Amino acid sequence: MRGEGTTARAAGDTSGGGGADATGSIPPPRGGSRAARRAADRSTRRSRRRVLRWGASVLSLLILVTAAGGYLYYRHLNSSIKTDALNLGETKLGGSKPNSFGQTPLNILLIGSDARDDAANQALGGGTDTFDGPALADVQMLLHLSADRSNMSVVSMPRDTMLMMPKCTEPNGKVHPASKGLVQTNESLQRGGPGCTVAAWTELTKIPIDHFMMIDFKGVVSMADAIGGVPVCVEQNIHSRTRDGKGSGLKLPKGESVIQGETALQWLRTRYGFEDGTDIARTHAQHQYMNSMAREFRKNAKLTNPVKMNSLAQAAIDAMVVDTGLNKIDKLYDLSMELKKVSPGRITMTTMPWVYSTRPGLDGRVEPMPGEAEALFRMVREDIALDGKGSGAPEAGASPSPGAPATPSAPAQPTAAPATSPTSAPASSPAKVAVTVRNATGGKDGAEAKVKLRANDVAALLKGKGFAKATADTQTGAEDTTVVRFATDAQAADAASVATALGLPATAVAKSAEVPGIVLFVGKDWRSGSAPTPPPPAPTVAPTSAHALNGDNDKACMPVQEGFTW
């Protein structure tokens, strides 16, 4: 973390004690002009009342999965598990695909909610006027477990990221239309629940998300006590408190301190006082804490008391909402055992590369950094380790199997083989597959005109490959990369066979309620020729703008913001 501070203008506060700014603006440091302070006060008034934004509520998941032991066998916890729909959006990628050795990666979206909808959360601090109000997804971290279980990647998205929200439909039928403009990512939770946050990530990253875990903070204090403390470090004495009372109240001396209980809570929600006082800085502090906590679990066995472990498990379950695929204790246990296979030295914490928005009215908000954000997402999609170490090479003569210990160091993107599943029919012969081709060659930004008659050309190409029912559509689209979308599970295998015939990757096939059948969208990457333009070689290490922090780095130390020392 040392030296990784972001030069900031602003990026919203979610620190407790009243400093959070839902708009993304930040007040000036102590000593700013009176007019500037008044303007900052106006912009932060609403968030000041939100004493606790659950800055790192995902940490209770880390505690749950890293310390998972016998207590997860307590079947009485099953009745306490709260579930919600996995994906409320129209685009569903169908889950992670196995690699050539039959091993499947796992992608889990960790969501930290600032909900104040029960007595336990409300008792943690004021803000009575926000009780039972709409929750915000103030922490969003994608945890990627490699197919060979050799490494783990975590990608945080700043809560002030602006993006297009997809259409989300709640199980009860209520529809939240797709946004017509950019929306702050933490508002996704208000559009039907965690399933819409998953949908927003899916649309932005094209990463198939297998599970989500949404957690609030009511169990974190007791969990931090049960761990016995987590070492953290600051480069100077720090006191997270402004003259007008904002800040988390965190007060630590220079150097390393072992924190637990409410001090740990303060660390996790501190923004005023770290680096440049932005939400990005808080993310870096959360990464330091999570890595340190993982190391603590590895080197000691503090949680050996069955009563204490049961209490800890109950606290985690009470504070968590998961998708329906994790609705049983044994499923959570199995997941925890998979996560425990990765040593801290192969855990890489990153932040999505970002830039400040230059759009009118979005001062202080951020957007994904062109090129580098996509590079990070691509590494996750293609199961490439972010630390640049690759994966272990298979033993000589080893044959692919689900139990193989490793995968190639930089696996190629698998093509969409027409496999079957319990919910999809076998692929039909190409001559029987009806596929509509739409011209989407202008790209999403519309910077280039669509290539005339491109849908006709590609439809003819498909006919030459045996898809006699391929037809060009008069409707068009806007896609940067060529995709195949299908409407029903029964069409999944046929859609995959279309992609395979064209040499498209598995991630180019997705289910969507927005198409009438199997529709091929010819994207900006296929403006000419018989095949889409291949993407450049995938990166082999996370971009420097992602501020990667390795789990074995026990020397990480948070820089302290000017004006917050004592």
Side-chain angles (χ1 to χ4, degrees):
M1 297 295 294
R2 182 179 284 109
E4 293 183 352
T6 312
T7 300
R9 295 193 317 229
D13 184 328
T14 60
S15 58
D21 180 0
T23 71
S25 301
I26 64 171
R30 289 185 250 187
S33 71
R34 181 176 300 173
R37 288 196 299 270
R38 283 201 300 267
D41 287 342
R42 286 193 296 271
S43 70
T44 61
R45 191 168 293 124
R46 174 192 168 204
S47 313
R48 183 181 302 128
R49 294 190 295 269
R50 289 180 179 268
V51 175
L52 293 180
R53 292 227 186 234
W54 310 136
S57 52
V58 296
L59 296 176
S60 54
L61 166 66
L62 262 284
I63 293 170
L64 174 66
V65 300
T66 311
Y71 68 78
L72 281 178
Y73 286 113
Y74 288 109
R75 293 298 187 256
H76 71 270
L77 291 179
N78 277 333
S79 61
S80 301
I81 297 176
K82 297 179 288 292
T83 64
D84 212 326
L86 174 61
N87 188 332
L88 298 178
E90 304 302 319
T91 299
K92 297 178 174 64
L93 301 180
S96 297
K97 307 296 191 297
N99 62 19
S100 58
F101 286 84
Q103 304 160 319
T104 304
L106 276 173
N107 295 311
I108 307 165
L109 187 63
L110 311 179
I111 305 169
S113 166
D114 76 344
R116 307 293 300 283
D117 54 3
D118 60 34
N121 280 319
Q122 292 169 2
L124 287 170
T128 57
D129 58 335
T130 66
F131 287 0
D132 302 314
L136 297 171
D138 272 352
V139 172
Q140 300 174 34
M141 295 183 180
L142 181 68
L143 186 155
H144 172 79
L145 181 63
S146 67
D148 66 0
R149 306 304 188 251
S150 71
N151 65 89
M152 185 188 301
S153 304
V154 177
V155 179
S156 293
M157 183 186 294
R159 75 175 184 102
D160 294 323
T161 301
M162 305 301 296
L163 44 74
M164 298 297 292
M165 285 290 170
K167 174 183 176 182
C168 289
T169 305
E170 298 186 38
N172 63 11
K174 182 178 179 179
V175 175
H176 301 266
S179 65
K180 296 182 179 179
L182 296 179
V183 176
Q184 193 162 306
T185 184
N186 64 350
E187 295 181 20
S188 59
L189 206 56
Q190 301 175 10
R191 299 168 60 85
C196 196
T197 306
V198 169
W201 271 79
T202 300
E203 289 288 338
L204 176 67
T205 68
K206 302 301 183 289
I207 295 171
I209 296 176
D210 304 291
H211 298 292
F212 76 78
M213 291 183 170
M214 183 174 72
I215 315 169
D216 60 28
F217 243 20
K218 63 188 176 184
V220 170
V221 173
S222 60
M223 292 178 187
D225 286 336
I227 301 170
V230 173
V232 295
C233 178
V234 288
E235 293 184 355
Q236 295 174 274
N237 298 343
I238 182 173
H239 188 197
S240 177
R241 183 68 72 203
T242 65
R243 289 177 177 174
D244 53 355
K246 301 182 183 71
S248 70
L250 178 71
K251 189 172 185 179
L252 293 174
K254 175 182 177 180
E256 182 175 291
S257 298
V258 177
I259 60 175
Q260 60 188 98
E262 293 199 26
T263 305
L265 185 62
Q266 290 173 335
W267 176 278
L268 299 172
R269 60 188 176 88
T270 292
R271 192 203 78 180
Y272 294 128
F274 283 148
E275 294 182 355
D276 53 11
T278 66
D279 183 60
I280 308 297
R282 178 179 32 235
T283 298
H284 295 165
Q286 292 167 1
H287 290 170
Q288 182 187 139
Y289 185 98
M290 293 170 75
N291 278 342
S292 183
M293 183 178 60
R295 291 193 298 270
E296 287 301 295
F297 275 120
R298 290 282 179 173
K299 72 182 183 183
N300 61 61
K302 291 184 171 74
L303 299 179
T304 56
N305 184 320
V307 175
K308 180 180 287 189
M309 289 198 299
N310 183 47
S311 176
L312 184 61
Q314 186 69 62
I317 294 297
D318 286 346
M320 192 163 55
V321 178
V322 298
D323 67 276
T324 53
L326 295 175
N327 63 347
K328 298 293 183 184
I329 289 298
D330 55 350
K331 295 179 181 179
L332 287 169
Y333 177 78
D334 290 343
L335 175 60
S336 73
M337 292 299 100
E338 293 298 295
L339 294 172
K340 284 183 66 178
K341 294 176 181 178
V342 181
S343 66
R346 296 306 310 279
I347 297 174
T348 306
M349 301 279 180
T350 63
T351 302
M352 179 196 77
W354 55 273
V355 293
Y356 280 113
S357 178
T358 58
R359 303 171 195 264
L362 296 184
D363 185 50
R365 311 302 208 289
V366 303
E367 298 182 32
M369 180 184 290
E372 297 198 12
E374 168 56 24
L376 189 67
F377 300 152
R378 182 181 176 189
M379 291 183 73
V380 174
R381 286 197 302 265
E382 299 186 16
D383 197 27
I384 300 172
L386 299 186
D387 58 11
K389 297 178 181 179
S391 300
E395 295 180 6
S399 59
S401 71
T407 61
S409 58
Q413 183 78 330
T415 55
T420 62
S421 73
T423 57
S424 64
S428 307
S429 65
K432 296 181 179 180
V433 177
V435 53
T436 302
V437 183
R438 292 184 185 175
N439 187 345
T441 55
K444 291 185 177 180
D445 58 9
E448 299 182 64
K450 293 181 175 65
V451 178
K452 293 182 179 180
L453 301 178
R454 192 66 187 131
N456 299 67
D457 294 341
V458 175
L461 178 66
L462 276 172
K463 286 182 178 179
K465 293 179 178 291
F467 291 87
K469 294 185 177 182
T471 58
D473 197 349
T474 56
Q475 294 189 55
T476 60
E479 301 290 342
D480 291 334
T481 57
T482 300
V483 295
V484 182
R485 296 195 174 102
F486 60 94
T488 67
D489 289 334
Q491 297 165 339
D494 289 346
S497 69
V498 172
T500 299
L502 298 174
L504 301 177
T507 52
V509 182
K511 184 179 179 181
S512 172
E514 299 297 309
V515 294
I518 299 174
V519 180
L520 170 66
F521 292 81
V522 183
K524 188 177 179 178
D525 62 339
W526 198 2
R527 294 175 63 85
S528 63
S530 59
T533 302
T540 56
V541 66
T544 56
S545 55
H547 296 286
L549 178 65
N550 183 267
D552 264 349
N553 183 0
D554 59 2
K555 304 301 181 185
C557 205
M558 286 300 296
V560 175
Q561 185 182 9
E562 183 178 356
F564 289 88
T565 58
W566 54 273

